[in-house]
Amino acid sequence: MTDPRVQLRPAVDFCLPAAFRGLAPRSVPRVASHPRQRQVRTQMTQDRPILFRGATIVSMDPRIGVVDHGDLLIEDGRIASVSESGAPDAPALPHGGVDVIDGTGRIIIPGFIDTHRHMWEALLRSGASHHTLNQYYSDVLGDVCRRVTPDDAYVGTLASAKSALLSGITTVQDVANVQLTPSHTDASVAALRDSGLRTILAYGKPFDHMMSTGTGLPDDVLRVRSELLPHDDADVTMALLTEWGSDDDERHNAALADKLEVRTVRHIGATTPISRLKDLGVLRRGTTFIHGNGLPAAQLQIMADSGGTLSSAPAIELMMGHGVPAVGQAPYGLLISLSTSAEVVTAADMFSVMRAALQTGRQFGRGAESERELTAVEVLAMATRDGARSLGLEERTGTLTPGKDADLTVLRADELDVVPVVDPISTIVLQMDRRHIDAVYRQGRRMVGNGSLVDDPRPLIERLRSAADRLGPVPRTDVSVQPWL
């Protein structure tokens, strides 16, 4: 007899996968919820609990592993339980009704976490596909950026955020370098709040402003922190983008970050040694360092010893000539996350980034002959669990652990191009792409269903086209100046 609290949805065919070796325990322990701090949250959750039944659950939590035929329960926007389907100790269904979704033929993973993206640049998608890094500075961050209006910043940021959800990404650090005026910043924050995405706005100084007045951040960051983004447990939070500058600018920015009690993020490369930051006393614990191509091993070790993390964007690094991605050279103990960087060059697609990370990491330093062979498991962790750790969000997201927010992506694993699923993690990293995304949930609210946004994207598409038409094509000039990387 069917439980009257259960509402079944249509089933689909599936070739059930085998458990990934060494990660899936035979029985799933009941994992206690994380203790929760006070939450200043957007009320995104739906009223009724949701139960995914019979899915392959890739939890990325070592205590849970991969559950071949599992159930995942969402209540009040959080993961309430993960268990094997039909297990005698499976939790009872909550009273008051539950929506049951047949997970047959589906793989559920934590939502991807993108630790570095310039979100306003969705206005210029593929507009600088063949630009070098120097041309990007001059033509994108220089020429085009100075013509972006606050409304453009809103549209580009919102389009990037909604597209992130379509790509299975539930958290993004917006490395926002379009703060031409306070109105641009206000528009960016509004777009992030309107999107439903979990985001960190890393307040940065526009390229033109840095070239003319240095890299010291303006006093407007005080207003943004006090009036717009005062809470560290909200869905949109704040960090500072502190770029390479004079000794005075470096000390100024570090002091600001300390005063505001926010994390910092910064681009780093072969010509910007981290040892200088250490000598200046501005090497802050928890900093997200972006790229790191060409840094000697000793500099990467300083990064690791300082409690910093590395955000690698291998797809764009290979396209723009940053150098060999640092994934294969990073020392043991340096936490690596993945990022998409700039839609003006490459797709903001974590599947492409994961493949680029695995391929370059194995080719340059961590191949089959290495004592630390890079595997698909580790790369998927970079795109989920380690991204959350890098951003200080590991208590809220990054794994499918009871007590954490229900930020998750549901993948179609019954398609001809991925069946048979012999190894679910390798299938995710090496066989799947955005086409396989079935649904995306943020704090238990469905943002993507049947591969499409729940909200109608057409009005935003028209605004995006209009803004792009007004800004015009990205120029490509002959540039020889290399500002700081």
Side-chain angles (χ1 to χ4, degrees):
M1 181 176 178
T2 303
D3 189 320
R5 294 173 290 159
V6 173
Q7 296 182 358
L8 290 172
R9 299 188 183 181
V12 289
D13 295 327
F14 180 52
C15 176
L16 284 175
F20 185 80
R21 294 190 305 272
L23 190 60
R26 295 302 301 167
S27 61
V28 182
R30 294 293 304 279
V31 182
S33 299
H34 282 279
R36 304 291 298 186
Q37 297 177 344
R38 178 183 60 89
Q39 295 291 304
V40 182
R41 300 156 58 96
T42 303
Q43 295 301 313
M44 299 184 60
T45 60
Q46 64 178 49
D47 293 336
R48 292 168 63 86
I50 300 170
L51 177 66
F52 290 95
R53 176 169 283 169
T56 297
I57 301 171
V58 178
S59 71
M60 300 312 296
D61 182 333
R63 298 170 298 174
I64 299 173
V66 175
V67 187
D68 282 342
H69 192 67
D71 296 348
L72 186 148
L73 178 65
I74 299 172
E75 288 187 89
D76 298 323
R78 298 174 187 162
I79 299 168
S81 65
V82 175
S83 61
E84 289 185 339
S85 294
D89 62 343
L93 292 175
H95 294 287
V98 58
D99 290 335
V100 175
I101 300 176
D102 191 330
T104 307
R106 299 294 183 262
I107 298 175
I108 304 177
I109 64 172
F112 293 126
I113 296 175
D114 184 349
T115 57
H116 152 233
R117 185 191 299 197
H118 306 285
M119 298 182 76
W120 71 269
E121 292 179 19
L123 294 163
L124 313 170
R125 281 181 179 144
S126 296
S129 299
H130 303 99
H131 280 53
T132 65
L133 182 59
N134 292 343
Q135 289 170 329
Y136 170 77
Y137 289 135
S138 174
D139 301 336
V140 176
L141 299 185
D143 186 292
V144 178
C145 182
R146 70 173 66 104
R147 295 185 279 113
V148 171
T149 67
D151 187 66
D152 294 338
Y154 177 88
V155 171
T157 300
L158 183 59
S160 184
K162 290 288 189 180
S163 299
L165 291 166
L166 272 172
S167 300
I169 298 169
T170 54
T171 301
V172 174
Q173 178 161 247
D174 181 10
V175 181
N177 52 2
V178 70
Q179 317 323 327
L180 298 164
T181 69
S183 295
H184 285 77
T185 304
D186 295 350
S188 298
V189 172
L192 297 176
R193 284 179 171 156
D194 290 346
S195 71
L197 187 70
R198 186 194 304 279
T199 49
I200 298 171
L201 182 126
Y203 185 111
K205 195 171 183 179
F207 177 78
D208 272 2
H209 294 193
M210 287 193 291
M211 292 300 99
S212 60
T213 64
T215 61
L217 291 167
D219 289 342
D220 190 50
V221 299
L222 303 173
R223 176 191 67 89
V224 174
R225 179 61 164 164
S226 63
E227 298 179 12
L228 298 182
L229 301 173
H231 301 296
D232 294 334
D233 49 6
D235 286 334
V236 182
T237 58
M238 186 178 182
L240 293 184
L241 173 61
T242 58
E243 299 290 28
W244 190 261
S246 68
D247 290 359
D248 287 343
D249 285 345
E250 292 285 2
R251 293 189 180 101
H252 168 80
N253 289 340
L256 265 181
D258 290 341
K259 179 177 181 179
L260 300 179
E261 298 181 320
V262 295
R263 287 175 170 255
T264 52
V265 55
R266 62 189 304 147
H267 296 84
I268 202 82
T271 61
T272 52
I274 298 176
S275 54
R276 175 184 172 236
L277 305 179
K278 182 179 180 181
D279 293 341
L280 285 173
V282 298
L283 186 55
R284 303 182 77 250
R285 186 169 186 82
T287 295
T288 302
F289 292 93
I290 299 167
H291 299 310
N293 309 72
L295 278 176
Q299 296 294 316
L300 291 170
Q301 189 62 56
I302 293 173
M303 184 188 300
D305 294 343
S306 74
T309 66
L310 178 67
S311 175
S312 180
I316 200 169
E317 291 162 7
L318 293 169
M319 282 294 296
M320 295 183 72
H322 291 61
V324 176
V327 173
Q329 287 81 45
Y332 180 79
L334 177 58
L335 185 69
I336 302 175
S337 63
L338 298 180
S339 57
T340 61
S341 185
E343 292 169 89
V344 70
V345 178
T346 55
D349 165 30
M350 198 58 75
F351 295 99
S352 298
V353 172
M354 288 192 295
R355 280 191 276 276
L358 184 60
Q359 291 159 351
T360 57
R362 289 180 64 87
Q363 179 66 31
F364 299 101
R366 297 188 59 188
E369 73 290 346
S370 168
E371 294 181 358
R372 295 174 54 223
E373 180 180 9
L374 186 63
T375 66
V377 174
E378 187 173 349
V379 168
L380 184 58
M382 293 176 186
T384 55
R385 181 182 67 221
D386 294 344
R389 292 173 61 198
S390 175
L391 301 178
L393 295 172
E394 64 271 22
E395 295 298 316
R396 300 182 64 184
T397 190
T399 63
L400 301 181
T401 303
K404 292 190 179 183
D405 288 346
D407 295 354
L408 54 89
T409 295
V410 183
L411 301 168
R412 298 187 183 102
D414 56 354
E415 302 280 354
L416 179 62
D417 56 353
V418 295
V419 172
V421 182
V422 177
D423 168 357
I425 293 182
S426 291
T427 296
I428 294 164
V429 174
L430 291 169
Q431 303 292 334
M432 288 185 165
D433 55 38
R434 288 185 286 189
R435 188 182 72 84
H436 297 94
I437 293 172
D438 180 44
V440 178
Y441 288 77
R442 263 278 296 123
Q443 289 183 344
R445 178 184 172 192
R446 187 165 61 105
M447 310 298 290
V448 173
N450 297 317
S452 299
L453 287 170
V454 172
D455 298 334
D456 184 359
R458 288 173 294 182
L460 179 58
I461 289 172
E462 290 307 310
R463 292 181 68 182
L464 187 60
R465 284 174 173 159
S466 177
D469 289 344
R470 186 185 58 77
L471 289 169
V474 179
R476 191 178 186 192
T477 57
D478 183 10
V479 179
S480 59
V481 177
Q482 187 168 348
W484 66 78
L485 288 184

